[in-house]
């Protein structure tokens, strides 16, 4: 038996077989070519294949979707015949003696930047098309290497690390646990595992990668241990632990339908954090009072191009309709740092967590931000929507954001498109700056939601992605708790409600403190709602206050 130790990020005992995640190589190679003529032929034949693929896609889309949606393939086909674009690639291959993949990538950056700097929003949107057709050409040149893995029911997915979109691309019905050699406990992959209710152990070290598919293993998401080829004693112990866990989970079922109220009568809302539509059944089955954080950036990930306004509208509409009159807070795009999508073509940054991410991208890319706002506002008529902006750190950023929202509302009104004028607008408090000036921000919004994952990272100067820092990570650091309290006081002083949507909200050791602060809502992974309700219903703020005196 081999025992690996890491950090358990979601409790549960899983007995299964290891299955290693195989990854597509997305790097664009760059090398000097000896035979330029051959490279030009490589490019020309790739171009022909891409054009013919697009013609076929157009025909299929005409049959299976509709003319409007099919048109994009026709447009992309025409763009691939554009002489300026193709000559740019051919010239680069000829003069720089560079490989076709890299010449396409360079042309793509040049042309998409050119389109995106234009004033006209239609022309700006063509930047995304350039990236799409370039990606298509590059994928053909690199050959298809599928990242699909054939999973069997109960497989334990192993990898060096998994990005959130990779984790999401897996068949949830079949994955029973995640184990990674790297990764940190507060990374988005860890959050996703919790949200999917999948036991996970991360950061077990490089020995994991020396193992092979099919090995028998037991994952203990509570202790962070992974046992490979477990001996009889360990198997028996783990089976007992698993049965106890299943019994505890069954007991929690009894909390469904009950109020989130302390013994002395203090109420709080318990909402769910989600990233995709597949999680809606678990929002309902765990009896969430609403959705406090829908991480909309996941709509943009694991795909080759931006989702259209209509695609987004359909998703938001489904979430809102599913939740009926219950509150649904959708956070606008929070891409960047560890949540990447290649087609955004973001520059590599030294410090991505301190870089161009979230609202900073939205404010510099109206061609991305405005369609999302239009989709959200259009969907607002289908339920009880709140829109929330991530990573706000200054009044001017917030004012710029709200000006864009007003402008989009005017545009919709002018076109006679209905939207709910009462849609609440809020911000995430996830930078220390925002917490400190929350008294100035509060009058400008309807609510605050405290993102403790980033607030902790930025307050303690601890990169949440860096596994080496886990031992320095103090989740209950007084500095973070004081910033939370300051934010709550400032929100309430201005009559605004305030919630927590970071992972700290699910930490039952802090529930009493949050209740005392007067937090109005805790938004957590669906699987944490019933344990939190249990904790709240057993808390008596009066009594515990008395004891402390
Ligand atoms: C947070 O930072 O606490 C948060 C909820 O946002 P995310 O984890 O998606 O960055
Ligand atoms: Mg955050």
């Amino acid at each position: 038996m081999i025992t690996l130790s890491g950090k358990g990020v979601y409790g549960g005992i899983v007995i299964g077989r290891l299955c290693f995640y195989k990854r597509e190589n997305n790097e664009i190679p760059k090398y000097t070519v000896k035979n330029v003529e051959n490279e030009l032929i490589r490019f020309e034949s790739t171009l022909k294949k891409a054009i013919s693929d697009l013609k076929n896609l157009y025909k299929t889309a005409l049959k299976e979707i509709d003319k409007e949606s099919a048109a994009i393939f026709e447009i992309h086909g025409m763009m691939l015949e554009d002489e300026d674009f193709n000559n740019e690639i051919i010239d680069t291959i000829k003069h720089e003696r560079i490989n076709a993949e890299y010449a396409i990538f360079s042309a793509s950056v040049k042309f998409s930047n050119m389109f995106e700097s234009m004033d006209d929003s239609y022309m700006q949107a063509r930047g995304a098309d350039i990236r799409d057709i370039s990606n298509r050409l590059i994928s053909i040149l690199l050959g298809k290497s599928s990242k699909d893995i054939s999973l069997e029911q109960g497989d334990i997915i192993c990898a060096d690390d998994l990005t959130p979109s990779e984790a999401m691309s897996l068949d949830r019905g079949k994955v029973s646990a995640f184990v990674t050699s790297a990764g940190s406990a507060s990374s988005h992959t860890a959050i996703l595992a919790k949200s999917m209710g999948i036991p996970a152990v991360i950061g077990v070290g490089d020995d994991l990668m020396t193992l092979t598919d099919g090995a028998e293993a037991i994952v203990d998401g509570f202790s962070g241990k992974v046992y490979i080829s477990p001996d009889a004693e360990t198997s028996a112990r783990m089976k007992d632990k698993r049965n106890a866990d299943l019994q505890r989970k069954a007991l929690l079922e009894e909390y469904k339908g009950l109020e989130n109220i302390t013994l002395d009568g203090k109420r709080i809302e318990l909402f769910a954090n989600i990233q995709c539509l597949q999680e809606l059944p678990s929002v309902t089955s765990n009896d969430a009072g609403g959705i406090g954080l829908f991480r909309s950036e996941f709509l943009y990930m694991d795909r080759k191009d931006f989702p259209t306004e209509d695609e987004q509208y359909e998703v938001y509409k489904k979430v809102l309709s599913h939740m009926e009159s219950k509150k649904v807070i959708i956070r606008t795009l929070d891409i960047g740092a560890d949540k990447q999508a290649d087609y955004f073509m973001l520059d590599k940054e030294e410090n991505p967590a301190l870089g161009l991410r979230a609202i900073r991208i939205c404010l510099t890319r109206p061609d991305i931000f405005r369609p999302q706002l239009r989709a959200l506002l259009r969907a607002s008529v289908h339920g009880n929507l709140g829109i929330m902006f991530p990573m706000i750190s200054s009044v001017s950023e917030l004012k710029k954001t709200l000006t864009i929202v007003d402008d989009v509302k005017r545009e919709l009104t002018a076109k006679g498109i209905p939207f709910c004028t009462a849609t609440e607008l809020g911000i995430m408090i996830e930078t220390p700056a925002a917490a400190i000036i929350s008294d100035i921000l509060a009058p400008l919004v309807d609510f605050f939601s405290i993102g403790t994952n980033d607030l902790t990272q930025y307050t303690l100067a601890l990169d949440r992605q860096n596994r080496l820092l886990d031992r320095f990570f103090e989740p209950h650091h007084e500095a973070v708790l004081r910033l939370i309290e300051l934010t709550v006081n400032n929100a309430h002083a201005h009559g605004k409600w305030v919630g927590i949507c970071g992972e700290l909200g699910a930490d039952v050791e802090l529930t009493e403190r949050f209740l005392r602060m007067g937090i109005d809502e805790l938004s957590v992974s669906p699987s944490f709602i019933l344990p939190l309700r249990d904790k709240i219903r057993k808390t008596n703020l009066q009594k515990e206050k008395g004891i402390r005196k």
Side-chain angles (χ1 to χ4, degrees):
M1 177 173 89
I2 303 171
T3 305
L4 303 175
S5 295
K7 187 118 188 156
V9 291
Y10 183 74
I13 309 289
V14 169
I15 303 172
R17 58 158 211 145
L18 302 184
C19 180
F20 281 81
Y21 186 83
K22 290 155 198 83
R23 187 165 286 123
E24 204 177 340
N25 183 4
N26 280 330
E27 271 184 23
I28 296 163
K30 182 182 183 186
Y31 52 89
T32 312
V33 290
K34 287 200 188 96
N35 189 330
V36 168
E37 271 319 300
N38 275 0
E39 202 60 18
L40 290 173
I41 293 169
R42 236 182 122 226
F43 170 62
E44 298 291 350
S45 58
T46 300
L47 194 59
K48 276 196 197 123
K49 170 150 179 29
I51 293 171
S52 130
D53 287 353
L54 283 163
K55 280 193 181 132
N56 290 337
L57 275 172
Y58 176 66
K59 281 188 214 146
T60 316
L62 266 187
K63 259 192 265 149
E64 292 178 9
I65 322 172
D66 57 47
K67 198 161 189 269
E68 224 176 296
S69 318
I72 190 67
F73 300 118
E74 199 179 27
I75 295 170
H76 281 188
M78 287 181 333
M79 288 174 81
L80 278 177
E81 294 184 25
D82 180 79
E83 279 192 4
D84 288 342
F85 182 64
N86 291 340
N87 285 340
E88 173 76 23
I89 298 167
I90 291 168
D91 286 348
T92 311
I93 297 175
K94 274 188 190 160
H95 299 130
E96 294 183 28
R97 306 185 71 85
I98 211 85
N99 59 312
E101 293 89 336
Y102 203 81
I104 295 166
F105 173 69
S106 303
S108 164
V109 172
K110 180 172 170 185
F111 278 70
S112 57
N113 285 346
M114 183 184 78
F115 278 118
E116 275 150 12
S117 61
M118 293 180 180
D119 288 336
D120 181 281
S121 62
Y122 176 81
M123 294 311 281
Q124 283 172 359
R126 300 290 64 81
D129 293 322
I130 288 286
R131 284 192 294 271
D132 193 330
I133 58 169
S134 306
N135 285 342
R136 180 176 292 283
L137 292 170
I138 293 171
S139 313
I140 297 174
L141 279 165
L142 291 176
K144 278 232 163 68
S145 75
S146 170
K147 66 178 180 188
D148 291 342
I149 49 177
S150 61
L151 290 178
E152 278 177 25
Q153 199 70 39
D155 272 349
I156 298 166
I157 299 298
C158 303
D160 47 357
D161 198 0
L162 280 173
T163 67
S165 62
E166 286 170 342
M168 269 185 43
S169 68
L170 297 165
D171 181 346
R172 285 162 184 239
K174 292 190 174 156
V175 176
S176 64
F178 288 123
V179 181
T180 63
S181 58
S184 84
S186 50
S187 67
H188 281 100
T189 308
I191 294 172
L192 201 71
K194 284 188 222 173
S195 167
M196 291 159 97
I198 293 179
V201 177
I202 60 173
V204 297
D206 292 340
D207 285 353
L208 176 72
M209 304 313 284
T210 61
L211 303 168
T212 49
D213 277 348
E216 293 288 327
I218 300 180
V219 177
D220 180 346
F222 296 105
S223 67
K225 295 263 189 280
V226 182
Y227 305 99
I228 314 294
S229 307
D231 56 30
E233 187 274 321
T234 308
S235 292
R237 194 164 42 83
M238 286 295 119
K239 275 182 191 150
D240 287 349
K241 197 166 176 182
R242 185 180 61 176
N243 291 342
D245 177 46
L246 294 177
Q247 266 172 19
R248 189 187 59 88
K249 284 179 179 149
L251 265 181
L252 285 175
E253 289 289 301
E254 290 171 16
Y255 283 89
K256 286 191 186 165
L258 301 183
E259 273 192 285
N260 313 309
I261 185 168
T262 61
L263 290 167
D264 55 320
K266 170 112 183 120
R267 284 188 175 73
I268 188 166
E269 298 280 8
L270 288 183
F271 285 7
N273 291 349
I274 64 164
Q275 17 264 325
C276 61
L277 293 176
Q278 289 94 309
E279 284 173 285
L280 287 177
S282 96
V283 171
T284 310
S285 66
N286 285 288
D287 202 20
I291 290 175
L293 169 63
F294 177 29
R295 290 183 163 96
S296 73
E297 57 276 10
F298 284 87
L299 272 176
Y300 292 72
M301 293 164 69
D302 201 26
R303 50 184 295 146
K304 297 254 180 288
D305 200 357
F306 296 96
T308 64
E309 178 184 323
D310 282 347
E311 263 176 74
Q312 294 191 58
Y313 164 77
E314 289 302 332
V315 173
Y316 304 148
K317 178 179 158 187
K318 279 192 186 124
V319 181
L320 287 158
S321 311
H322 179 92
M323 296 303 288
E324 299 177 335
S325 59
K326 289 181 177 167
K327 178 79 80 220
V328 175
I329 312 273
I330 301 183
R331 171 174 79 186
T332 57
L333 182 64
D334 183 16
I335 212 94
D338 65 323
K339 288 179 282 190
Q340 291 287 342
D342 289 345
Y343 63 87
F344 274 72
M345 300 258 182
L346 296 174
D347 288 336
K348 279 243 173 311
E349 295 175 291
E350 282 287 313
N351 285 309
L354 301 180
L356 195 62
R357 61 171 288 203
I359 199 70
R360 298 172 183 173
I361 294 184
C362 290
L363 289 176
T364 47
R365 293 286 304 269
D367 57 313
I368 300 174
F369 195 32
R370 292 178 69 104
Q372 179 171 41
L373 291 173
R374 279 196 299 268
L376 283 166
L377 287 166
R378 282 169 55 202
S380 65
V381 296
H382 300 289
N384 183 357
L385 175 69
I387 303 175
M388 159 160 97
F389 306 104
M391 279 288 292
I392 293 286
S393 60
S394 70
V395 172
S396 72
E397 257 170 19
L398 176 57
K399 284 192 174 161
K400 278 185 201 141
T401 306
L402 295 175
T403 305
I404 299 176
V405 176
D406 282 343
D407 199 48
V408 170
K409 284 185 180 172
R410 267 194 297 279
E411 184 190 330
L412 293 179
T413 309
K415 288 184 179 153
I417 298 171
F419 62 90
C420 173
T421 48
T423 301
E424 284 195 320
L425 298 178
I427 56 170
M428 293 197 62
I429 301 288
E430 50 185 350
T431 62
I436 292 165
I437 59 164
S438 51
D439 56 330
I440 320 176
L441 297 170
L444 304 175
V445 293
D446 297 310
F447 66 90
F448 286 152
S449 186
I450 305 174
T452 52
N453 309 332
D454 278 316
L455 187 61
T456 306
Q457 144 164 279
Y458 296 129
T459 307
L460 307 185
L462 279 172
D463 178 357
R464 64 194 270 194
Q465 286 297 107
N466 188 341
R467 178 167 73 99
L468 300 176
L469 299 178
D470 273 355
R471 75 179 109 147
F472 297 104
F473 187 74
E474 277 184 50
H476 298 181
H477 199 295
E478 194 54 32
V480 176
L481 294 170
R482 287 190 197 177
L483 287 176
I484 295 175
E485 188 151 29
L486 176 69
T487 305
V488 177
N489 292 342
N490 284 332
H492 288 170
H494 290 89
K496 307 298 161 81
W497 67 266
V498 53
I500 294 183
C501 64
E503 298 306 291
L504 223 49
D507 187 333
V508 287
E509 285 179 37
L510 290 173
T511 311
E512 187 201 321
R513 182 138 180 205
F514 291 151
L515 285 160
R516 284 191 195 286
M517 286 182 192
I519 295 271
D520 302 289
E521 171 245 34
L522 294 172
S523 190
V524 297
S525 296
S527 51
F528 288 117
I529 289 176
L530 295 176
L532 262 179
R533 182 171 295 163
D534 175 27
K535 172 73 189 173
I536 292 162
R537 292 179 66 86
K538 288 178 177 151
T539 302
N540 184 345
L541 297 176
Q542 294 304 326
K543 185 166 157 243
E544 277 141 26
K545 215 184 206 168
I547 289 167
R548 282 210 307 195
K549 270 184 200 163

